[in-house]
């Protein structure tokens, strides 16, 4: 899978401007999805800007038990900047940001818990920011004995996930709880392709370092707060991979 680039909206070399806009409606969950892209090209430079937005509610069903009331919306922003240095080399900078919010009134949970039998509400948020710089080299004038083309990519991504619960009982007990997970990853990969008359060779290198941590906070009315309860210890992971196919 790959995200769109400016060339996807520019039919030939004579087109310097293009784009796409569409909106969809889904009756199953009363959601609306809208996407828009704009692409520009000037000499050896090209730019693409994209936006995708969606909002909706819980999905309808034909069962006897109605679904939990739900509301959600998401926004995805994508931009790409390309510089065709010459016939052999191209640089591409990608910036992406994603955000999604969701609210659930967990009516189905009321009958399964004796403590919080009045209401259980949940708010969730997910965000992700990604930055990458890639170099694409496809020699035209000469043939390298090691590769026909290579592509290298340097990237960084930060993601946050948070869940906030508010639970109440018929007797007046209230609990507020927040759980958060953060992950950061910095990585690099490069891939080489070489073809002969009868064979295709792919080989490369991948390396990354990542950091993950989480936070937990709970407070019950009439009781002292319960902070810093973690589901797992903060961790750092380093990976180096080589492959040949």
């Amino acid at each position: 899978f790959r995200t769109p680039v400016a060339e996807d909206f520019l039919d030939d070399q004579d087109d310097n401007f293009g784009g796409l806009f569409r909106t969809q409606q889904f009756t199953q969950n009363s959601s609306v999805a809208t996407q828009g892209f704009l692409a520009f090209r000037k000499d050896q430079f090209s730019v693409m800007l994209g936006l995708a937005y969606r909002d909706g509610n819980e999905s309808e069903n034909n069962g006897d038990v109605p679904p939990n009331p739900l509301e959600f919306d998401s926004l995805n922003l994508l931009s790409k900047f390309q510089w065709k240095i010459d016939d052999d080399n191209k640089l591409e900078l990608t910036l992406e940001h994603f955000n999604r919010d969701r609210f659930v009134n967990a009516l189905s949970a009321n009958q399964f818990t004796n403590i919080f039998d009045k209401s259980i509400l949940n708010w969730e948020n997910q965000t992700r920011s990604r930055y990458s710089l890639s170099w694409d080299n496809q020699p035209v004038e000469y043939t390298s004995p090691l590769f026909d083309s290579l592509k290298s990519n340097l990237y960084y991504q930060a993601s946050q996930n948070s869940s906030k619960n508010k639970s109440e009982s018929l007797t007046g007990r209230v609990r507020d709880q927040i759980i958060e997970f953060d992950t950061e990853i910095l990585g690099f990969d490069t891939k080489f392709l070489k073809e002969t008359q009868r064979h295709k060779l792919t080989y490369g290198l991948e390396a990354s370092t990542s950091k993950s941590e989480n936070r937990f906070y709970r407070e019950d009315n009439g009781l002292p707060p319960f902070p810093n309860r973690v589901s797992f210890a903060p961790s750092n992971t380093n990976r180096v991979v080589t492959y040949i196919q």
Side-chain angles (χ1 to χ4, degrees), residues 89-224:
N89 298 280
K90 179 173 64 177
L91 285 177
E92 180 179 281
L93 174 65
T94 301
L95 310 174
E96 182 188 12
H97 180 72
F98 173 79
N99 182 83
R100 177 167 57 200
D101 292 294
R102 188 176 74 157
F103 166 74
V104 180
N105 184 357
L107 299 177
S108 60
N110 296 344
Q111 56 186 311
F112 294 107
T113 174
N114 297 323
I115 301 176
F116 302 106
D117 49 4
K118 180 181 179 181
S119 65
I120 299 178
L121 308 178
N122 175 257
W123 294 264
E124 292 184 6
N125 173 260
Q126 293 176 294
T127 61
R128 182 184 69 247
S129 297
R130 179 173 65 93
Y131 314 92
S132 69
L133 180 64
S134 64
W135 170 45
D136 196 351
N137 176 245
Q138 298 189 26
V140 177
E141 298 296 332
Y142 69 93
T143 301
S144 169
L146 299 178
F147 63 90
D148 295 329
S149 66
L150 75 86
K151 186 167 186 178
S152 299
N153 186 41
L154 175 67
Y155 61 90
Y156 170 80
Q157 179 172 289
S159 60
Q160 296 85 33
N161 296 271
S162 66
S163 176
K164 177 182 177 182
N165 294 307
K166 188 176 186 66
S167 308
E168 296 186 42
S169 69
L170 294 174
T171 58
R173 183 176 179 180
V174 179
R175 169 177 290 178
D176 292 302
Q177 182 170 283
I178 300 174
I179 303 175
E180 297 176 328
F181 293 90
D182 295 342
T183 303
E184 293 181 80
I185 182 169
L186 174 66
F188 172 81
D189 64 79
T190 184
K191 179 173 67 175
F192 299 85
L193 299 176
K194 182 65 180 178
E195 290 191 43
T196 65
Q197 287 186 335
R198 301 181 61 182
H199 303 283
K200 178 183 291 186
L201 180 67
T202 304
Y203 63 98
L205 169 72
E206 296 182 11
S208 67
T209 178
S210 62
K211 179 176 68 175
S212 301
E213 61 182 359
N214 82 300
R215 293 172 296 279
F216 180 98
Y217 179 85
R218 175 185 291 172
E219 183 174 356
D220 288 85
N221 58 341
L223 297 174

Side-chain angles (χ1 to χ4, degrees), residues 74-87:
S74 64
L75 175 65
N76 201 168
L77 303 174
L78 175 67
S79 57
K80 289 192 175 183
F81 306 88
Q82 285 189 358
W83 175 26
K84 191 172 182 180
I85 303 173
D86 51 37
D87 292 337

